Amino acid sequence: MGHRLADASAPARLAAPEEGIGRDELALATRNHGLPLEALRYDLTPPGLHYVLTHYDIPYVPDDTPWHLAIGGRVGRPLRLDLADLRAFPQVTTRVTLECAGNGRALLTPRPVSQPWLVEAVGTAEWTGVPLRLLLAQAGVEPEAVEVVFTGADHGVERGVEQDYRRALPLNVATAGDPEVLVAYAMNGAPLPPQHGRPLRLVVPGWYGMAHVKWLREVEVTDVPFAGFQQAVAYRLRRHREEEGEPVTRIAPRALLVPPGFPDFMSRARVVRPGRVALEGRAWSGRAPVTCVEVSSDAGRTWRKAELEPDTGHRWAWRRWRYDWTATPGDHVLSARATDAEGHGQPLEQLWNRGGFANNVVQRVPVLCVDEG
Amino acid sequence: MGHRLADASAPARLAAPEEGIGRDELALATRNHGLPLEALRYDLTPPGLHYVLTHYDIPYVPDDTPWHLAIGGRVGRPLRLDLADLRAFPQVTTRVTLECAGNGRALLTPRPVSQPWLVEAVGTAEWTGVPLRLLLAQAGVEPEAVEVVFTGADHGVERGVEQDYRRALPLNVATAGDPEVLVAYAMNGAPLPPQHGRPLRLVVPGWYGMAHVKWLREVEVTDVPFAGFQQAVAYRLRRHREEEGEPVTRIAPRALLVPPGFPDFMSRARVVRPGRVALEGRAWSGRAPVTCVEVSSDAGRTWRKAELEPDTGHRWAWRRWRYDWTATPGDHVLSARATDAEGHGQPLEQLWNRGGFANNVVQRVPVLCVDEG
């Protein structure tokens, strides 16, 4: 008979070979959802199609609920700001592609047991809010400061540790001018939907989703590195349990295809007819601008350059690419891969770590070209 | 080497005992999503939290795309209406709770392999549009008419059958005045989101989701019963493969709890502390108004009446209920069950059929009450 908090949590584990997705993974998959890949067609992802990952419950914040953001710690003038105070600061809108650090996890062998993403944990939105650097300048960051810790209102337990969701950024990232970290109150011109952090969230262009703290309540400037659960235990790249591991930070390059043709309901196999098939998709990197996208129609053996849309000035958003493929009857595997200006690319074989983080293995889209009908 | 459409589809099947969720089921779960149960708190579900089930791809319909609804078949005056034409008809707004016919499927033993819902495939919205009966009256239904067939723009293959998604209603349901079937163009006062049928969908109050055809393009009045795939093959209650089976129609009663306390990230176990815990949830039935909700805190052995919110006049929407529970340290299983005015209730043991349809077994919410902290 369990009476202790630790009884709610199971240890981290890897799935056994051939082990199907479990009830716990499914319970996460039915509530957190990805971008249906056909929605890669939208420059800006409609909110209900944008991926969502919430560790605990979505806090219930009806419209008339008072909300305050506290800014404190190693600052000269602690602040307590309501939404009207925040709207009085200069307003910035940035188009940002957000991707979950665990994207691709369910394709890994062995599979880390957690939110079982295939490749769809991504979305792009225009986020509007106050540059964090302006808030920190107003509060007056003290010289000893090294990090800024962000606390959300979402509360739960993880590996036996009861916690509000909390993550930190290095001071130089938090106060940077390009990109600016935002305390955002709008998504695509409307108030944040509940699942995207209503009424306030952090947006950290170029970083994986775990950094973009939702339901933001508190900003604390610290003079020691943050050692909380989501920083020191979760979101680290470890091959072995005992390692300290590197922290997960910026988004690795990835290209995805809009699946061509039409699907089978159950197998999700794609069906096309012979002839020209206009392929398109999106590519992004949080490290440097995407400079090249290549397409393969033979499971990665040969590659051709795709046409990358001209630079739209949205550095932190995905770019569209196109490629004309001539389909012939039979089975094909389509793939796309992105390379960024710093030379980061995508591997053909998985990059494995125990958390299933930052995996950007090349997507494989099986397509059946039928010669009937 | 497959060159035929049938090669895209696998036969319908049941999962083996202990078989985990497969890659195909997961691919559906990552794109179709349920209502995070804490969102049962909202009278009207925000669109991105409302459940979504799309058989094929979500059609891409940018705002400036012309769209016409054709009304034909056994009518005196076939119609071809654009969105402006539809807006010129009288406008009705109805609050409707929508549930997927496959809700609960992943909890069944043996598990039918399809969209693997647990209990969360539900949502409530206010749908605004034209009563279908007015459109049919204008078109002039001929005396031989027996059914009305609705065609969506979503296209795919299922069990080897290439199709646009298509479903029928009996003529008396399609032309009824209470409830009115709607051709809806707005959800919660805004244009339909893409995943909910932009720009037009059918809304059939009280019926499971398969009847509410999205991306509606064509309405055809027929003088013979519709024998298309989604009517004659799918969405039938069959215990054996060869049976014709009864059709799936109206929503069976169900009550769900807002999960109390807070969750463990991975196990989704709920944690509360000892003392009074205000339980709440929603209950609905597409057959008759919900008249009673009962709560059990001992896995269904004993039941107490919950307080049902007064009738809000929204017959086709869920009703809120409340119950004060006193938690004591240890493990508990909470449940709620609804009964409607016709005496339909919820079973404690599963109702099984090969499609996993219309299952309304009582929900079980394991809760750990911890005596520390």
Side-chain angles (χ1 to χ4, degrees), chain B residues 224-247:
Chain B
V224 290
F226 177 58
F229 182 90
Q230 303 295 345
Q231 206 89 17
V233 180
Y235 296 113
R236 317 249 349 160
L237 302 171
R238 295 188 183 93
R239 290 189 61 86
H240 303 285
R241 201 190 292 267
E242 319 71 40
E243 288 175 60
E244 186 184 343
E246 288 296 309

Side-chain angles (χ1 to χ4, degrees), chain A residues 6 9-14 24 113 159-160 241 354, chain B residues 266:
Chain A
S9 302
R13 74 180 191 91
L14 304 174
D24 49 355
V113 172
R159 311 297 176 212
R241 200 190 293 267
R354 289 185 65 86
Chain B
M266 192 62 228

Side-chain angles (χ1 to χ4, degrees), chain A residues 2-3 5 8-9 21 29-31 34 38 55 57-58 107 157 162 263-265 267-268 270 273 368 372, chain B residues 2 5 8-9 21 23 29-31 34 38 55 57-58 107 157 162 263-265 267-268 270 273 368 370 372:
Chain A
H3 298 207
L5 200 63
S9 302
I21 297 290
T30 57
R31 49 179 283 120
E38 64 272 27
H55 280 239
D57 287 355
I58 299 168
L107 297 172
V157 55
E162 186 175 347
D264 177 76
F265 168 65
S267 71
R268 306 314 292 174
R270 305 298 306 192
R273 297 218 148 78
L368 170 65
E372 60 192 3
Chain B
L5 202 61
S9 301
I21 297 289
R23 178 75 61 87
T30 57
R31 50 178 282 120
E38 65 272 26
H55 280 239
D57 286 357
I58 298 168
L107 297 172
V157 55
E162 186 175 347
D264 177 76
F265 169 65
S267 72
R268 306 315 291 174
R270 306 298 306 191
R273 297 219 148 76
L368 169 65
V370 298
E372 60 192 5

